[in-house]
Amino acid sequence: MKFLQLLPELYVTDFKKSLHFYVDILGFKLEYTRDSPKFGFLSYQGSQLMIQELAPGEKESEKMEQPFGRGINFQINTNSVFKIINSLKQHDYSPKREIKDSWYRENNILHGCREILVTDPDGYLLRFSENIGEKSVR
C-alpha cells in the first residue's frame, strides 16, 4: 500500500462507534487495525485517514473538548455524493449541510463540485465533494 504525503490521524472517543460510522455509513474501507491503542487505517476512493481512540489519562486527551477539529474541514473526493446522503438517511444520521453545488473560479474556468458536509461522532467536519464539471467564463 502506498501512503499519501498528507495523512491525518483523528483522535476519537469511541473507536467502535467511529469505525462503524466511517466504514458502515460512509463507505470507507478498513485497511488494517491495531488493538493497543485502538487504531484503524481507513481509505476511501483514493483518500486515507487514521483514527485512534484516546485512552483516559493520555497526554493528548488533556485539552480535548468536543467538537474535535474546530476550524478545519477535511475535503474527501467522492464519485457519488448521493450515495453518501442515502446511507446517512438509512442510518438516521443527519448531515451538517445538505447537498450543495459550488463553483470555484480558477482564472477563466469554473470548477463545479457537488458537496455535502457531515460531522463524525466526535465533531470532525467532513466535506465530501463530487466533480460536476467545468465552465468557461470571461
Side-chain angles (χ1 to χ4, degrees):
M1 171 185 306
K2 181 178 179 184
F3 295 99
L4 300 178
Q5 294 297 315
L6 177 63
L7 187 53
E9 181 172 352
L10 309 178
Y11 287 115
V12 299
T13 54
D14 184 330
F15 182 78
K16 185 177 178 181
K17 183 177 182 178
S18 292
L19 192 62
H20 167 72
F21 174 77
Y22 281 97
V23 173
D24 299 328
I25 297 176
L26 295 180
F28 278 76
K29 177 182 177 188
L30 177 61
E31 299 290 348
Y32 64 88
T33 187
R34 292 192 299 259
D35 291 329
S36 185
K38 292 179 182 174
F39 170 91
F41 186 92
L42 307 167
S43 66
Y44 180 89
Q45 298 181 14
S47 296
Q48 298 172 336
L49 65 84
M50 302 174 285
I51 58 173
Q52 179 176 312
E53 185 174 88
L54 279 171
E58 277 190 289
K59 184 176 178 82
E60 292 88 353
S61 68
E62 290 176 2
K63 297 177 185 169
M64 298 287 286
E65 294 178 9
Q66 289 183 330
F68 294 170
R70 284 174 266 181
I72 190 169
N73 74 69
F74 297 97
Q75 179 175 315
I76 302 165
N77 292 335
T78 183
N79 58 20
S80 178
V81 168
F82 290 110
K83 185 175 178 180
I84 294 168
I85 195 70
N86 289 337
S87 183
L88 291 169
K89 287 178 182 177
Q90 288 174 358
H91 290 90
D92 294 321
Y93 201 98
S94 298
K96 177 81 170 168
R97 185 184 73 205
E98 293 289 340
I99 293 174
K100 176 184 174 187
D101 289 354
S102 300
W103 294 90
Y104 300 101
R105 186 177 184 133
E106 176 190 7
N107 299 318
N108 291 332
I109 298 176
L110 292 175
H111 300 276
C113 301
R114 180 159 292 134
E115 300 174 326
I116 184 171
L117 288 176
V118 180
T119 53
D120 86 346
D122 287 297
Y124 291 108
L125 188 59
L126 311 172
R127 179 169 41 126
F128 287 89
S129 181
E130 176 182 349
N131 181 344
I132 57 172
E134 297 179 349
K135 297 179 187 178
S136 295
V137 293
R138 296 188 191 263

